Amino acid sequence: MSYDETGVRCTMLRGGTSRGLYFEQHDLPADAGERDDLLLRLMGTPDPRQIDGLGGATTLTSKVAIVSPSAAPDVDVDYLFLQLGVEDATVSELQNCGNILAGVGPFAVERGLVPAGEAETSVRIRMVNSDSVAVATFPTPGGRVEYRGDVEIAGVPGTAAPVVLAFADTEGSATGALLPTGHVRDTVEGIEITCVDNGMPVVLAMAEAFGLTGYESHEQLAADTALLDRVDAFRRKAGQLMGLGDVSRASVPKTVLLAAPADGGQVSTRSFIPVQPHTSIGVLGAVSVVTGMLLPGAVGHELTRDWPRDSSQVDVEHPTGHLLVDVVVDGSRTPPRVVRSGVVRTARKLFDGTAYPR
């Protein structure tokens, strides 16, 4: 019997501001090529509408989490993240996804991979893409995952229960170094940049360097085809500098443009994933942005002058709201080291059942 006839066990969850298909590893083909073919057909890729699959016609809803028990010491489960294309039949494992990560702990408990605590549960998750560890803590009253709660995150309607994510060893997730170029500041096409990788390879630049204010709406950015072409050419050159090679078909690095805060936060961001503008900002993207800005001499470091010194939490503005991240960097060391980083997200189970590929 083939997957076309039997389908495959699948759970769809919203994790943070993304949505993805979650699978146990043993339910998918062992061969990576066969697995990717199945996932593309389940998602409905390639098709800009993904009308014949489970994708939502955006990169934010064309994501996959593959979860399995971990053999690593002091780790509960392994989590492999895959970013699927929408119009192009691509499957990339070059990056993590902190939003989809928010659903991994609840999924692991729902599937019986990790026992639930009586009040809350902490799941240690090895992010296979970067071989780093995150700890997800979420409420499980009475030993069952509780998705309802009063935490609101920008970009998601309503409220839900908190999923607290704490990251460890995310430096150099895809590039092998916190500063992939070996420098705090570089220049690409005459634009000053900082390349940083603390869970997500990111290129920082000031919005004004692209002729922008940094406060444009998602719709304004998406309609500016000349800007998007420029961002694409820019990030390809930055990707080469970061040691990522030809990134023309890769989902990293992300480009994030910075400006002074405009809505009570501490920095305004406009990010691209990797070319189309993001409606908000990715979790690990935001963590990398703040990490980079905290380094003396980095692009955007001047914006940190007014940040409170008694708190490690930074309010990151994006097109649809705010994201609060917690980052501590030891800049006294060479190279600098990340002491800790984390964020609060929410997740919700949307369905659990059998999915059939086209």
Side-chain angles (χ1 to χ4, degrees), residues 8-271:
V8 59
R9 177 89 185 271
C10 172
T11 300
M12 178 182 282
L13 292 102
R14 174 192 59 77
T17 54
S18 294
R19 193 182 76 205
L21 305 181
Y22 290 68
F23 301 91
E24 289 188 67
Q25 185 180 49
H26 65 73
D27 287 327
L28 295 172
D31 178 79
E34 294 179 14
R35 177 202 69 195
D36 292 352
D37 174 71
L38 173 63
L39 295 175
L40 288 167
R41 292 190 292 126
L42 286 168
M43 199 69 75
T45 297
D47 172 25
R49 298 177 301 159
Q50 292 180 320
I51 195 66
D52 204 24
L54 297 171
T58 74
T59 54
L60 296 179
T61 55
S62 299
K63 302 186 174 190
V64 167
I66 301 176
V67 182
S68 60
S70 182
D74 301 319
V75 175
D76 297 311
V77 295
D78 287 348
Y79 151 55
L80 174 67
F81 170 71
L82 298 175
Q83 177 68 64
L84 274 61
V86 178
E87 298 184 42
D88 299 318
T90 58
V91 180
S92 172
E93 57 181 65
L94 289 177
Q95 66 182 85
N96 290 311
C97 180
N99 278 305
I100 292 299
L101 172 66
V104 171
F107 174 80
V109 170
E110 294 263 16
R111 290 296 185 91
L113 301 177
V114 177
E118 278 302 307
E120 69 175 20
T121 302
S122 292
V123 179
R124 289 183 59 83
I125 302 163
R126 184 174 76 97
M127 297 183 287
V128 175
N129 305 68
S130 58
D131 195 27
S132 53
V133 175
V135 180
T137 303
F138 47 94
T140 52
R144 300 188 64 177
V145 177
E146 177 60 80
Y147 294 100
R148 295 168 298 180
D150 57 6
V151 173
E152 180 179 357
I153 63 172
V156 177
T159 62
V163 179
V164 180
L165 300 174
F167 302 107
D169 302 321
T170 50
E171 298 171 53
S173 63
T175 63
L178 180 65
L179 296 172
T181 70
H183 306 109
V184 174
R185 189 178 287 241
D186 294 278
T187 303
V188 169
E189 295 188 336
I191 296 175
E192 296 288 303
I193 65 170
T194 290
C195 299
V196 61
D197 179 4
N198 185 24
M200 178 71 67
V202 168
V203 184
L204 303 182
M206 300 305 295
E208 62 185 9
F210 281 79
L212 302 172
T213 64
Y215 314 121
E216 288 79 5
S217 68
H218 171 266
E219 291 74 21
Q220 286 175 302
L221 296 173
D224 192 340
T225 55
L227 170 67
L228 301 185
D229 288 343
R230 188 181 178 193
V231 166
D232 190 25
F234 171 81
R235 77 170 196 96
R236 291 190 193 195
K237 292 182 179 179
Q240 292 280 356
L241 277 182
M242 298 171 79
L244 293 170
D246 180 5
V247 298
S248 58
R249 292 176 60 83
S251 54
V252 290
K254 313 296 192 198
T255 303
V256 181
L257 305 183
L258 310 176
D263 189 39
Q266 287 157 286
V267 59
S268 177
T269 63
R270 295 295 183 266
S271 59

